[in-house]
Amino acid sequence: MRLLLLAPPGAGKGTQGERLAARYRVRHIAAGDLLRAEAEAGTPAGREIAAYQARGDLVPDQIVLAALIPAVVEAAAGGGYILDGFPRTLPQATAAAELAARLGVALDAVVYLFAPEQVLTRRLLDRASQRGRADDVADVIRHRLRVFAETTGPLIPYYTERGILVAVDADQPPDSVTADIEARLSGGRSR
Ligand code: ADP
């Protein structure tokens, strides 16, 4: 199984990504987590990543590709992956498609999780009070949602045109979202 989770901040990509990876026994590749780990390592690239993440800006494509491609190659050899948060720009999507072609694999589906903006904001502020991620503060949240709409949004028509987009309502309890995703993936009603 090779899936991409495409979702604005707060939609539950991470939660659903972990569950789907366990369900399909494939690796969960969370772009934000990989980049945060590199930031914490404190390398020169890591310091640059940390600055983009703290502002809620996307990390430049070249840095993202360098961090993500090895993980994707390894997971593809191991039988599949749940990509969570990568690709997130059109150039990343093109690079990912070229990589997949070179590896002789293709995405089975792109799961687009959607929810109203006030729901997303409330969830992120709730998370902030528990875990305190540097980018979970009101003005950075607002910025991340705008970046999603402007820069990641174009991936929705991109994958729709390729016939693999599955849109799922994320404004439901996590178990219901998981059930909807699994039903849509096994029923094929999306295509
Ligand atoms: P969220 O989706 O809630 O913003 P993530 O952990 O997926 O959480 O991403 C956090 C931050 O990591 C983003 O704001 C961005 O700075 C960086 N990031 C994650 N994935 C990518 C990507 N594919 N391209 C560029 N930057 C990314």
Side-chain angles (χ1 to χ4, degrees):
M1 178 60 94
R2 287 173 297 271
L3 285 184
L4 163 57
L5 291 174
L6 189 61
K13 271 190 286 89
T15 304
Q16 300 302 327
E18 278 172 25
R19 291 175 178 205
L20 293 168
R23 160 85 169 72
Y24 296 111
R25 299 171 195 279
V26 293
R27 175 149 177 218
H28 174 213
I29 300 178
D33 290 349
L34 279 182
L35 293 168
R36 267 186 296 278
E38 193 144 335
E40 274 156 29
T43 58
R47 280 197 292 276
E48 210 179 327
I49 291 169
Y52 284 102
Q53 287 192 317
R55 287 196 300 268
D57 282 324
L58 293 183
V59 174
D61 290 333
Q62 286 316 313
I63 298 179
V64 172
L65 290 169
L68 269 291
I69 285 176
V72 173
V73 170
E74 193 187 302
Y81 39 72
I82 310 294
L83 296 178
D84 160 356
F86 170 81
R88 201 136 146 163
T89 66
L90 280 174
Q92 288 179 21
T94 310
E98 280 165 10
L99 173 66
R102 211 160 58 232
L103 297 172
V105 299
L107 283 174
D108 293 298
V110 175
V111 176
Y112 168 46
L113 300 175
F114 63 89
E117 202 157 303
Q118 68 270 25
V119 171
L120 302 171
T121 304
R122 184 168 19 84
R123 286 184 185 172
L124 292 167
L125 290 172
D126 286 350
R127 180 171 80 185
S129 61
Q130 295 154 15
R131 263 180 290 165
R133 235 172 73 174
D135 56 352
D136 283 345
V137 292
D139 56 337
V140 180
I141 289 171
R142 215 174 304 118
H143 182 63
R144 284 157 63 206
L145 289 169
R146 198 169 67 230
V147 168
F148 177 82
E150 288 172 2
T151 310
T152 308
L155 295 188
I156 298 165
Y158 175 88
Y159 288 116
T160 301
E161 280 160 21
R162 282 156 182 77
I164 54 173
L165 194 91
V166 174
V168 173
D169 181 2
D171 186 13
Q172 320 181 62
D175 287 351
S176 308
V177 177
T178 309
D180 276 6
I181 295 172
E182 290 184 358
R184 297 286 298 279
L185 293 179
S186 61
R189 267 175 293 138
S190 58
R191 306 207 197 149

